[in-house]
Amino acid sequence: ELWAEKRHNRDQLGMRYQSDWNTTRRGRPELRHLHDEIKNLGRERRWQEALAVLDGIDEPDVWLRIAAVSACGKSLQFDAARQIFQEMPEKNVPAYGVMMSLVGMRNPLEAQALLQDMRSQQLEPDSGIYNALIETHGRAQNMAGAMHAFNELVASGQRINRATYQITLSACARTGDLQQAKALLARMEAEGMPPDAGHFTTLVTSCARTKAEGEAR
């Protein structure tokens, strides 16, 4: 049951690079079946066939291109994803978010550069963008970078939800930053957002990283 809840949390909290931006029902209605086809091919790791579908469309919209970037990302085809992204005639916030999560798997600095490029295009980052940055820095065990992104989200005035807390706590777990994890849980309580089982599981992971057995108990 706990693992089923954890999987649900991953899907809901943006732990995969395409999760924060549901593009299924966006874009031109006549292209939605092609969007679904590209998305399904991506899930099956058939990225080349997904690109063939994209190439067969005369004027693919941004949502089809995002689906193609995601399809490449699922197969870890970074160069192909980057080319599709760079060739987009017009990019939106979800496009940047998907690409940032993908490149952040290997290079957090590239994800940070995409944020700056996004802002230069007069696009304001949403919570999904900040979540992607927090997770990116967490994977790189850069707790300072993760907290910088978290604090930027706070400063933006956007609501901090359970998804953001879970991703930031995961960064704490990866770095073994028990004190920061406890501070985040205390902040959740203060904001009237009681931590759930997933949040406490992440705290235990932080304890394990620091060998704080007593804290874990």
Side-chain angles (χ1 to χ4, degrees):
E1 183 177 347
L2 179 60
W3 284 108
E5 181 180 356
K6 185 174 181 180
R7 186 179 302 112
H8 172 75
N9 287 340
R10 283 174 58 87
D11 289 339
Q12 293 299 314
L13 304 182
M15 303 298 279
R16 299 169 186 165
Y17 50 78
Q18 79 280 16
S19 298
D20 284 336
W21 299 274
N22 182 1
T23 64
T24 303
R25 295 304 169 198
R26 299 181 181 180
R28 288 155 35 201
E30 68 272 18
L31 297 179
R32 286 176 183 167
H33 69 289
L34 295 171
H35 180 283
D36 291 341
E37 184 177 358
I38 292 173
K39 190 173 181 179
N40 290 332
L41 288 169
R43 286 174 177 159
E44 296 170 4
R45 308 298 190 266
R46 295 159 62 187
W47 66 277
Q48 291 171 310
E49 293 174 62
L51 294 191
V53 173
L54 182 68
D55 289 341
I57 304 169
D58 289 335
E59 296 182 3
D61 62 17
V62 65
W63 303 106
L64 285 170
R65 295 175 192 270
I66 291 173
V69 170
S70 180
C72 291
K74 286 178 178 296
S75 295
L76 303 182
Q77 297 298 319
F78 298 99
D79 291 339
R82 188 178 287 106
Q83 181 177 347
I84 296 167
F85 178 79
Q86 291 173 345
E87 292 176 352
M88 287 184 183
E90 183 177 344
K91 302 177 180 71
N92 58 13
V93 172
Y96 275 99
V98 170
M99 195 63 201
M100 285 168 62
S101 293
L102 176 56
V103 302
M105 295 170 66
R106 298 197 305 181
N107 186 355
L109 292 178
E110 187 174 355
Q112 198 71 39
L114 284 171
L115 175 63
Q116 300 307 317
D117 182 64
M118 187 178 106
R119 284 174 167 157
S120 74
Q121 302 299 318
Q122 307 302 312
L123 293 172
E124 287 299 319
D126 60 11
S127 61
I129 292 291
Y130 287 113
N131 286 351
L133 279 176
I134 294 168
E135 184 178 14
T136 289
H137 287 297
R139 288 180 182 277
Q141 298 190 355
N142 176 12
M143 196 62 219
M147 286 308 302
H148 178 74
F150 179 89
N151 290 329
E152 277 199 311
L153 175 55
V154 173
S156 74
Q158 299 181 59
R159 180 175 177 270
I160 310 298
N161 57 24
R162 291 181 179 275
T164 301
Y165 277 112
Q166 181 66 60
I167 294 168
T168 313
L169 284 166
S170 294
C172 294
R174 289 190 175 102
T175 59
D177 194 334
L178 175 58
Q179 295 306 312
Q180 185 63 72
K182 291 169 65 176
L184 286 166
L185 290 176
R187 179 176 180 136
M188 290 185 71
E189 292 277 10
E191 292 180 354
M193 191 185 303
D196 58 24
H199 297 113
F200 283 115
T201 298
T202 307
L203 177 63
V204 171
T205 303
S206 297
C207 293
R209 287 284 173 89
T210 58
K211 298 183 173 60
E213 183 178 352
E215 295 278 2
R217 292 180 185 279

